[in-house]
Amino acid sequence: YSSVTSIGAKAFENCKNITEVSLTNKVGYLGEGAFENCKNLTSVTLTKVSLMGENSFNGCESLKSASFGNLTVIPESAFKNCISLTTAYFSTATAVENNAFYGCSALTAVSFPIAETIDNYSFYGCSALNSFAFTNVALIGDYAFSETGLESIILPNATEFGEKVFYNSTAVKSIEMPVATTFDTLDFAGLPNVENLILPRVTEFAFNGGSFAEVFPKIKTLDNQNGVEELPDGFLEGCSQFESGTFRY
């Protein structure tokens, strides 16, 4: 099919005998659900695809790796429940939409070097994912990294957050946000093992998810050296394991 330039919606949906897809350099578009529920698909090579519809590979339970060189948006539920997917490399993607990798429980290695937005539930349930480079990410949606294996959170450019972004990612022990100026415990609720908070520029704290003691019961250190001028009443009340803090003089 050397002359094919696009693949329509649900073109190969439920084709359970397909094991490999290698498309020519002419194919630039995949329609919605193009390979949805191809249960035995293990390998995909799509070097020139620049536009892809929702659910393109949803439910491809045997798919092990995905690499796309031209995609700028990972669409909604594109790889949802690809439970064998271990690696995902998207060098040109600037946005990851809702549920894109939801339930990819084997995912361990990902690369989104220029991604700026990560929408709701994008990596929910990626329990083997223990690291993620948030280099250019500015916005992260609701529950985007809930129930992952992340061990630390470093957000060099992130300033906008949905609710409970990392909920129940219980391996996380530190959160670092060098540029954020606001911090709401609701956004970071469900991280009971966090010990260190590095929030040097936060000037406004909100406690819609509960107090520090309720949300971060094991907190030991807090860096807020260029932040609030006056600590609010009960700021660290009940934080029985707290050891040291750096605040604006």
Side-chain angles (χ1 to χ4, degrees):
Y1 302 99
S2 59
S3 62
V4 173
T5 59
S6 66
I7 295 177
K10 300 185 181 298
F12 295 96
E13 184 183 16
N14 293 318
C15 290
K16 295 179 173 58
N17 291 326
I18 293 178
T19 59
E20 182 178 351
V21 174
S22 181
L23 300 179
T24 71
N25 288 341
K26 293 182 180 180
V27 177
Y29 171 76
L30 291 184
E32 181 178 340
F35 293 94
E36 187 172 1
N37 290 322
C38 290
K39 301 293 187 183
N40 293 306
L41 180 63
T42 61
S43 174
V44 176
T45 304
L46 302 170
T47 56
K48 295 297 181 180
V49 171
S50 59
L51 186 62
M52 193 164 76
E54 297 176 2
N55 297 297
S56 297
F57 295 94
N58 187 350
C60 293
E61 297 176 350
S62 299
L63 186 64
K64 294 181 179 180
S65 65
S67 179
F68 293 73
N70 275 351
L71 273 180
T72 57
V73 176
I74 313 301
E76 183 170 341
S77 301
F79 298 94
K80 184 177 180 180
N81 292 326
C82 290
I83 58 175
S84 298
L85 187 67
T86 59
T87 58
Y89 299 110
F90 296 87
S91 59
T92 57
T94 59
V96 182
E97 294 189 340
N98 297 342
N99 302 300
F101 295 92
Y102 183 106
C104 294
S105 54
L107 191 63
T108 58
V110 297
S111 178
F112 297 87
I114 63 171
E116 297 174 357
T117 62
I118 298 177
D119 287 340
N120 303 339
Y121 296 88
S122 293
F123 293 91
Y124 187 104
C126 294
S127 54
L129 186 64
N130 58 25
S131 65
F132 191 98
F134 292 92
T135 309
N136 290 302
V137 176
L139 182 151
I140 309 176
D142 298 348
Y143 294 89
F145 288 88
S146 292
E147 300 194 16
T148 67
L150 292 179
E151 297 173 358
S152 65
I153 299 168
I154 302 174
L155 304 167
N157 289 294
T159 57
E160 296 182 60
F161 304 94
E163 294 184 5
K164 300 181 179 180
V165 174
F166 301 94
Y167 186 79
N168 208 29
S169 293
T170 56
V172 174
K173 290 193 174 182
S174 66
I175 301 173
E176 182 174 352
M177 299 166 55
V179 300
T181 58
T182 61
F183 185 91
D184 191 338
T185 56
L186 179 61
D187 303 343
F188 295 90
L191 297 172
N193 295 313
V194 166
E195 297 178 355
N196 307 300
L197 293 175
I198 305 171
L199 314 170
R201 297 182 182 276
V202 172
T203 57
E204 181 180 346
F205 286 92
F207 298 94
N208 294 306
S211 67
F212 270 134
E214 292 169 327
V215 177
F216 306 120
K218 296 182 180 180
I219 186 173
K220 293 182 178 179
T221 68
L222 172 60
D223 179 350
N224 186 231
Q225 59 184 310
N226 297 307
V228 294
E229 294 185 0
E230 295 183 10
L231 298 181
D233 293 344
F235 188 59
L236 292 167
E237 182 179 3
C239 297
S240 59
Q241 298 186 40
F242 191 76
E243 297 175 355
S244 65
T246 305
F247 303 99
R248 180 190 290 268
Y249 290 106

